[in-house]
Amino acid sequence: MSAVPAAPRPNAVVAALACAGITVSLMQTLIIPLVPQLPALLHATPSDATWAITATLLAGAIATPMIGRLGDMYGKRRMLLLSLSMLVIGSIIGALSDSLTPMIVARTLQGLSAGVIPLGISIMRDELPSDRLGTSIALMSASLGIGSALGLPAAALIAEYTNWHVLFWTAAAAGAVVLVVVVTLVPESSVRTGGRFDAVGAVGLSVGLFCLLLAISKGADWGWGSGRTDGLFAAAVVVLVLWGWYELRAKQPLVDLRTTARRQVLLTNLASAVFGFAMFAMSLVLPQLLQLPKATGYGLGRSMLAVGLVLAPSGLVMMVTAPLSAKISRTRGPKVTLMLGAVIVALGYGLGIVMMSAVWQLVVIAAVIGAGIGLAYGAMPGLIMSAVPVSETAAANSLNTLMRSIGTSVSSAVAGLVLAQVTISFGGLQVPSQNGFRLILAIGCGASLLALAIAAFLPKHTPPVAQAAVVPGALEADPVA
């Protein structure tokens, strides 16, 4: 694993990093086709089986900011390889699992790979020529949505026609291939800060995020007014406030809160959280509409494989809009691109409120929303990196990715609450009503318009992200200094 190419080849670097991002984002949809069968497959109760999903969310949220900071300090490629190794190991454990405990371990390890996308963006900033940077970063940022959308039909196909363990063997094989490709084609950046890792800050942030996201993800099972849920929310507030107080006084903080508080960084992160909310709303509504029986009057009675095929075009659209996002950002500024993306996503959700009676209509909705997300996600790294020092690129991008994750977690909780309350009786069971789906789509539309309003307050002129004018080795420091 020590061989590194003498000089970066832009096409090869972009292809390798984009493949890594798409492969890691597949983990978000890998297990979705198995969700109804998880209790039986893992010999667990339905409530306990959800830990196979929750573990990945928690691990990813906790690991992302830490792996980004470690990348800035000790080498982004090194942390990228570590993240991909966790993905491969976790996938192998999952492939060998037949009970809940090893599956939770497997999914936790897979979640630890979530920092690949912000690390990839940061490596691109360090290694690519300026004329390639915008399009490449937009593609890498959009790979989060691309992999999720394209992975669902593939996972559904494998789960339907083979043993479910094949899903994890496939993930392990894909991760191993990408690992070799990165070792072969991606150079290690010379832009490093060195210094000491903020272990106290890492523990504080981990505990705070764990309490917050666990309360959000398990609140529906435990009860939103239960002592356990409220206690976790209260603990999250206390821990994160104390963590912030400590970080402002630390010499080498895990997260530079003063940089994070800059107008451009703060507003972009807020918009990212709202976009994460809006993006996930589509993933929660369309699959259920497609799979509910036709006898409900609004369900389309389709299989999980059909769900994947309906959502797949949104991933392809994101891929196509990545270079368009870069072009608009280059000519008009990333603020305009972000606002345009918000408008298009809002339009997609607006169409969904009145168009949900045929499969082709849902394909159009998914494609429109995908186009808006592709534009917006492509603009966010440019807004972040033009406002932070080169030495904090990976940490800043990782925090931005974390904000998206928090948005998706909140979206899942809100949608679950709505669909559990706005129901109809069907065959002796309570199922989500058509008005419940429309309400979630309307909330997604409102979230997109909120992102538009937030983006409107970004600085009018944002300098384009250019390759850092850094003498190789100038920012290197002794890792143990």
Side-chain angles (χ1 to χ4, degrees), residues 362-385:
L362 300 189
V363 172
V364 170
I365 293 165
V368 172
I369 294 174
I373 291 171
L375 289 173
Y377 274 19
M380 289 173 187
L383 287 163
I384 293 291
M385 290 191 292

Side-chain angles (χ1 to χ4, degrees), residues 290 300 302 310 355-367:
L290 283 161
L300 299 176
R302 303 288 177 158
V310 167
M355 291 173 53
M356 58 172 64
S357 59
V359 171
W360 70 266
Q361 294 177 347
L362 300 189
V363 172
V364 170
I365 293 165

Side-chain angles (χ1 to χ4, degrees), residues 43-136:
H43 313 291
T45 65
S47 177
D48 288 342
T50 59
W51 279 103
I53 300 171
T54 305
T56 307
L57 165 70
L58 295 176
I62 291 170
T64 298
M66 286 192 283
I67 208 75
R69 179 61 179 149
L70 287 168
D72 282 332
M73 295 173 68
Y74 305 128
K76 303 176 184 73
R77 177 178 178 269
R78 183 179 299 176
M79 293 301 111
L80 181 65
L81 294 176
L82 176 62
S83 297
L84 290 171
S85 298
M86 292 298 100
L87 170 62
V88 174
I89 295 170
S91 299
I92 292 173
I93 294 174
L96 298 173
S97 298
D98 283 303
S99 59
L100 181 61
T101 300
M103 180 57 71
I104 291 175
V105 172
R107 293 291 289 165
T108 299
L109 290 172
Q110 286 182 326
L112 294 177
S113 67
V116 163
I117 291 176
L119 286 170
I121 292 171
S122 304
I123 291 172
M124 287 178 175
R125 185 186 193 184
D126 293 344
E127 300 299 331
L128 297 182
S130 58
D131 61 327
R132 293 292 308 276
L133 198 54
T135 301
S136 301

Side-chain angles (χ1 to χ4, degrees), residues 260-426:
T260 304
R262 291 175 184 171
R263 175 181 166 191
Q264 185 163 311
V265 179
L266 177 62
L267 293 179
T268 302
N269 282 333
L270 289 175
S272 296
V274 176
F275 260 107
F277 182 103
M279 174 185 171
F280 206 62
M282 171 185 72
S283 301
L284 293 166
V285 169
L286 301 192
Q288 294 194 59
L289 274 174
L290 283 161
Q291 292 181 90
L292 280 173
K294 292 183 179 180
T296 59
Y298 51 89
L300 299 176
R302 303 288 177 158
S303 67
M304 176 56 74
L305 179 57
V307 172
L309 294 174
V310 167
L311 294 180
S314 67
L316 297 175
V317 170
M318 289 181 204
M319 191 180 299
V320 171
T321 54
L324 178 60
S325 174
K327 183 177 181 180
I328 297 172
S329 295
R330 186 169 58 251
T331 57
R332 304 297 300 274
K335 172 183 176 178
V336 172
T337 312
L338 182 58
M339 294 178 70
L340 179 60
V343 170
I344 293 175
V345 172
L347 174 62
Y349 278 114
L351 290 174
I353 295 173
V354 297
M355 291 173 53
M356 58 172 64
S357 59
V359 171
W360 70 266
Q361 294 177 347
L362 300 189
V363 172
V364 170
I365 293 165
V368 172
I369 294 174
I373 291 171
L375 289 173
Y377 274 19
M380 289 173 187
L383 287 163
I384 293 291
M385 290 191 292
S386 62
V388 302
V390 175
S391 59
E392 297 179 18
T393 298
N397 280 315
S398 295
L399 183 61
N400 184 252
T401 301
L402 171 63
M403 296 302 292
R404 299 189 207 180
S405 298
I406 292 175
T408 60
S409 301
V410 175
S411 176
S412 178
V414 170
L417 182 62
V418 170
L419 294 181
Q421 297 296 322
V422 187
T423 62
I424 62 169
S425 179
F426 177 77

Side-chain angles (χ1 to χ4, degrees), residues 422-446:
V422 187
T423 62
I424 62 169
S425 179
F426 177 77
L429 300 173
Q430 294 296 312
V431 299
S433 70
Q434 188 175 33
N435 285 335
F437 290 125
R438 284 176 171 153
L439 178 56
I440 294 174
L441 292 171
I443 293 172
C445 181

Side-chain angles (χ1 to χ4, degrees), residues 1-5 77-89 175-188 192:
M1 281 190 164
S2 59
V4 181
R77 177 178 178 269
R78 183 179 299 176
M79 293 301 111
L80 181 65
L81 294 176
L82 176 62
S83 297
L84 290 171
S85 298
M86 292 298 100
L87 170 62
V88 174
I89 295 170
V177 170
V178 170
L179 188 63
V180 173
V181 169
V182 170
V183 169
T184 306
L185 299 177
V186 178
E188 180 60 273
R192 304 185 196 178

